[in-house]
Amino acid sequence: MDQKENGSRGRMQILTTLNENYLPRLQVLLTSICVNQPDDPPDIWLIHSGISEEALLPVRRQCALFGFGFYPVRADESAFQGAPVSAQYPREMYYRLLAAQLLPDDLDRILYLDPDILVINPLRPLWEMDLEGNLFAAAAHTGKTELANNLNQLRLGTDHNYFNSGVLLIDLRRGRNEIHSEEMFRYVREHAKELVLPDQDILNAVYGRRILEVDDSVWNYDARNYNNYLLRSAGVCDMDWVMKNTSILHFCGRSKPWQKGYVRRFGILYRHYMAMTERFSCSCRI
């Protein structure tokens, strides 16, 4: 599909990072993208530490069925020499923030999505957003009150909203010149005891002033907080509004909709996409 058909920025480039255990979640995400923007297939980039080709094969087949490009990239270990790495700070936490150094130089921007996401309306308006000279666009989950936001500002010594790192539009061109791995690694070494959500804390502490804030109710809706969104919007953001206007449903937190016993409002929607993914997988195996 050429640039004229697909908008001013051409074919969307979507990035995710995960380990092998999360590949089924990636497949559900891909199904949701295909269903909700069927005429706008993206390229999918996966930065990983060493997932086997055999494990990647179902994803590769699914992308072929949908007309998606699929480009797995094994992270170069040499890029992480001197990086603080431990069980709490795995190497993978750096991948999205260092995408400009890990992905091909001919990519100008990329849209990072956590794998625990459903896309329920098209992504192109976010993809084409003017970053206004910023390195990233992201949403802040301020919730019903500003308490958590204020606590994070105090903890990290920042004066801006606390941004969620699960959805990031990244300017790779600027990032190649302005994002430096050693600056990131040095921050982790110096502030290790203060980090709660390491990759997210790094994003906010080091690059928070270079982030364009976007509307979380559209571009990074926290699926745990339906009642908060409804209250904040004085009743506007009801279920009908979400289904018509929200593009990204993010299943934040430890409780996940693919787990038994999940009771939150959007769990049944996620399981619907799981069932569709299984049907598509059967088609790929025929």
Side-chain angles (χ1 to χ4, degrees), residues 19 49 80 83-95 185 188 198-199 202:
N19 60 33
S49 296
F80 298 91
V85 174
S86 66
Q88 185 181 2
Y89 309 127
R91 200 172 71 187
E92 287 81 0
M93 78 177 189
Y94 300 108
Y95 290 171
F185 301 159
V188 176
D199 57 327
I202 296 167

Side-chain angles (χ1 to χ4, degrees), residues 213-265:
E213 185 166 356
V214 298
D215 185 350
D216 62 319
S217 68
V218 177
W219 300 118
N220 193 343
Y221 186 105
D222 187 336
R224 301 170 295 183
N225 291 335
Y226 174 81
N227 289 334
N228 288 354
Y229 286 107
L230 192 65
L231 181 64
R232 282 164 47 190
S233 67
V236 172
C237 295
D238 59 10
M239 188 61 73
D240 287 342
W241 187 96
V242 171
M243 297 309 295
K244 291 177 182 177
N245 295 280
T246 295
S247 287
I248 296 173
L249 272 181
H250 191 180
F251 293 89
C252 304
R254 293 186 177 183
S255 181
K256 301 297 185 183
W258 56 87
Q259 297 168 337
K260 289 184 178 180
Y262 187 87
V263 296
R264 296 185 186 275
R265 189 177 303 264

Side-chain angles (χ1 to χ4, degrees), residues 129-255:
M129 187 173 290
D130 183 355
L131 281 166
E132 301 174 10
N134 291 285
L135 291 170
F136 303 94
H141 290 155
T142 54
K144 186 164 56 177
T145 73
E146 292 293 318
L147 178 59
N149 193 54
N150 292 341
L151 287 174
N152 284 317
Q153 288 175 334
L154 181 63
R155 181 171 60 86
L156 298 175
T158 59
D159 58 2
H160 50 74
N161 281 335
Y162 185 75
F163 296 102
N164 181 271
S165 62
V167 178
L168 295 173
L169 182 62
I170 307 171
D171 187 331
L172 297 177
R173 182 177 53 82
R174 287 184 181 274
R176 290 185 189 102
N177 295 320
E178 300 178 35
I179 295 176
H180 306 290
S181 60
E182 184 48 43
E183 180 183 21
M184 203 176 298
F185 301 159
R186 183 172 60 251
Y187 181 84
V188 176
R189 285 193 294 268
E190 294 175 354
H191 299 273
K193 294 181 180 180
E194 304 157 28
L195 303 183
V196 178
L197 299 170
D199 57 327
Q200 201 156 273
D201 287 350
I202 296 167
L203 172 72
N204 281 273
V206 182
Y207 302 109
R209 292 181 178 274
R210 302 296 308 281
I211 298 174
L212 175 70
E213 185 166 356
V214 298
D215 185 350
D216 62 319
S217 68
V218 177
W219 300 118
N220 193 343
Y221 186 105
D222 187 336
R224 301 170 295 183
N225 291 335
Y226 174 81
N227 289 334
N228 288 354
Y229 286 107
L230 192 65
L231 181 64
R232 282 164 47 190
S233 67
V236 172
C237 295
D238 59 10
M239 188 61 73
D240 287 342
W241 187 96
V242 171
M243 297 309 295
K244 291 177 182 177
N245 295 280
T246 295
S247 287
I248 296 173
L249 272 181
H250 191 180
F251 293 89
C252 304
R254 293 186 177 183
S255 181

